[in-house]
Amino acid sequence: MNEREATAQRTAAPQTSAQQTAQAIVVSAMTKAGEQFMKQLLVKGLPFTAVTNSVAERQQLAKLGVQSILLVNTIDPDTWERPDRPVGKAFLFESSLSLCCRYLRMIRKWTDQPVYVVTGRTHGRLIYKGLGADHIVHVQTGGLGSLLE
């Protein structure tokens, strides 16, 4: 599969018209805290789309039960297509500074709703704010239920 095909490929369960018009939470989250957060979203039945740039991560997300997965090419900004449904809040779980910055640039174009960067590190705050993050949340694991309110 080439880069363009990978970018365009989406995995999603059939949705009702009400689900298609509701704003979806966007999550980039292949960290332990991110996985816990997505499990909370699944339990609460909140609509969300997981974003990844990796086929292997896409498979992991599917195993977690995530039904809406957007596979993106984070290298080429010209391929950054919006998800099929309106985007609400976004939660970016930092696994690396550079990847989180790319996701932030991409997702900031998709929504005017708050974007949260969740990190266990103290660096990057000004970089993330400069790229459009509304909130920087410092956590190691757990304690993320309050983000959903």
Side-chain angles (χ1 to χ4, degrees):
M1 175 183 326
N2 68 34
E3 290 289 333
R4 295 246 181 233
E5 290 171 332
T7 300
Q9 191 171 12
R10 289 186 171 95
T11 302
Q15 300 167 349
T16 66
S17 60
Q19 287 174 315
Q20 289 173 343
T21 58
Q23 286 188 332
I25 296 168
V26 171
V27 182
S28 74
M30 287 318 293
T31 65
K32 186 176 271 191
E35 285 184 32
Q36 290 174 355
F37 184 73
M38 285 187 295
K39 287 177 183 177
Q40 289 178 14
L41 291 172
L42 289 167
V43 166
K44 293 182 180 214
L46 296 173
F48 74 98
T49 297
V51 178
T52 183
N53 68 345
S54 161
V55 173
E57 281 184 8
R58 181 175 158 223
Q59 292 170 343
Q60 287 178 309
L61 289 164
K63 285 181 185 175
L64 286 174
V66 177
Q67 295 181 1
S68 178
I69 304 167
L70 182 60
L71 183 62
V72 296
N73 175 348
T74 53
I75 303 301
D76 185 2
D78 292 334
T79 65
W80 294 352
E81 297 178 29
R82 289 179 180 268
D84 293 335
R85 64 195 328 179
V87 175
K89 292 180 182 179
F91 298 89
L92 310 178
F93 289 81
E94 179 195 55
S95 57
S96 81
L97 178 68
S98 63
L99 182 58
C100 191
C101 286
R102 285 181 269 161
Y103 281 135
L104 180 54
R105 285 180 47 224
M106 178 189 318
I107 292 168
R108 185 75 276 174
K109 291 180 179 185
W110 297 347
T111 186
D112 59 359
Q113 298 295 311
V115 176
Y116 297 78
V117 173
V118 182
T119 180
R121 304 175 198 170
T122 56
H123 72 281
R125 180 177 182 83
L126 293 176
I127 294 169
Y128 294 140
K129 286 286 189 176
L131 291 173
D134 296 293
H135 306 282
I136 313 299
V137 181
H138 296 279
V139 297
Q140 294 301 321
T141 58
L144 300 173
S146 63
L147 291 176
L148 297 175
E149 297 163 7

